[in-house]
Amino acid sequence: GGEVPYFPRDLPNILITGTPGTGKTTTSEMAAEATGLTHINVGDLVKSKSLHEGLDTEYDSYILDEDKLIDEMEEMMKPGGKIVDFHTCEIFPERWFDLVIVLRTDNNVLYPRLEARGYNPKKINENMECEIMQVVLEDARESYAEEIVIELGSNSIEQMEENVARIKAWMDNWIANNKD
Ligand code: DAT
């Protein structure tokens, strides 16, 4: 860890990651509203710009073209001020992010959320296993400096609101500490 940002930025970049269904998109939208930062939904970007090599029919998900995605995002990340929302965290350059949030949801709460999305049983099981094994949290801890990785519970609306308030407070502090 400890890589210095390659480009000074006036606003921080935040990654919000976690297993599908933990609340990344909802939290990112609310955090963008609260902070004025810009939400980048990476899944939507992959689809709209075709940054993939087609559909994996078994899991009903796109096979990411990582190089294309990183190239596409590089210029967006340079000035800062982005909230990046994606279920995979280890593909991005470490220097992009000032804060990495890993959302966590209890099994009995996550399962019905995934069912409600109409995911096929294989995809539900894959994602439940991912959350139980803490895959995203471990990937985040391996990919970023330990002091910027924060694990937050996302089981209820109250927790989501607390998480958004925390992100806002963190950003205000970051700005105060990064003034010239
Ligand atoms: P993700 O982007 O991680 O896949 P999402 O934001 O689309 O997740 O949320 C999936 C569903 O679960 C959606 O219907 C909103 C709901 N949800 C997410 N986080 C929640 C929370 N902390 N409390 C209550 N509902 C939540």
Side-chain angles (χ1 to χ4, degrees):
E3 212 182 315
V4 178
Y6 68 117
F7 199 86
R9 37 189 183 242
D10 294 329
L11 289 170
N13 288 320
I14 301 171
L15 175 61
I16 300 187
T17 189
T19 304
T22 53
K24 297 179 297 294
T25 297
T26 317
T27 304
S28 297
E29 283 170 354
M30 286 173 63
E33 177 84 25
T35 59
L37 302 182
T38 302
H39 174 204
I40 299 176
N41 183 324
V42 175
D44 287 352
L45 189 69
V46 167
K47 275 182 246 170
S48 68
K49 302 250 176 178
S50 289
L51 310 171
H52 58 77
E53 295 161 345
L55 203 61
D56 177 339
T57 49
E58 197 179 346
Y59 290 103
D60 192 25
S61 58
Y62 285 99
I63 303 157
L64 201 58
D65 186 329
E66 291 183 20
D67 292 341
K68 267 195 198 165
L69 175 65
I70 301 308
D71 283 353
E72 183 73 32
M73 288 180 68
E74 181 79 52
E75 291 305 308
M76 302 180 195
M77 301 308 293
K78 262 188 192 169
K82 303 300 185 295
I83 296 175
V84 173
D85 155 11
F86 202 42
H87 52 73
T88 302
C89 64
E90 73 279 8
I91 59 170
F92 303 118
E94 187 181 357
R95 60 188 154 77
W96 278 3
F97 297 107
D98 303 288
L99 178 67
V100 175
I101 290 182
V102 183
L103 295 179
R104 301 301 311 278
T105 302
D106 295 341
N107 301 340
N108 60 324
V109 178
L110 185 59
Y111 194 92
R113 281 190 200 161
L114 296 173
E115 268 190 322
R117 281 192 161 175
Y119 280 3
N120 69 47
K122 194 157 188 159
K123 194 161 173 174
I124 293 181
N125 288 338
E126 182 202 26
N127 286 316
M128 288 303 296
E129 192 169 317
C130 172
E131 186 61 3
I132 290 162
M133 301 301 286
Q134 313 199 119
V135 171
V136 181
L137 181 63
E138 287 184 11
D139 285 346
R141 289 194 170 140
E142 281 170 21
S143 305
Y144 300 94
E146 95 182 289
E147 62 273 19
I148 76 161
V149 177
I150 296 178
E151 181 185 9
L152 295 175
S154 180
N155 294 296
S156 63
I157 298 294
E158 291 71 26
Q159 272 185 334
M160 195 182 303
E161 285 169 350
E162 277 173 38
N163 295 343
V164 170
R166 222 169 134 171
I167 293 166
K168 170 80 169 86
W170 176 90
M171 185 194 75
D172 291 344
N173 190 52
W174 187 96
I175 291 171
N177 288 327
N178 285 273
K179 271 207 294 261
D180 294 325

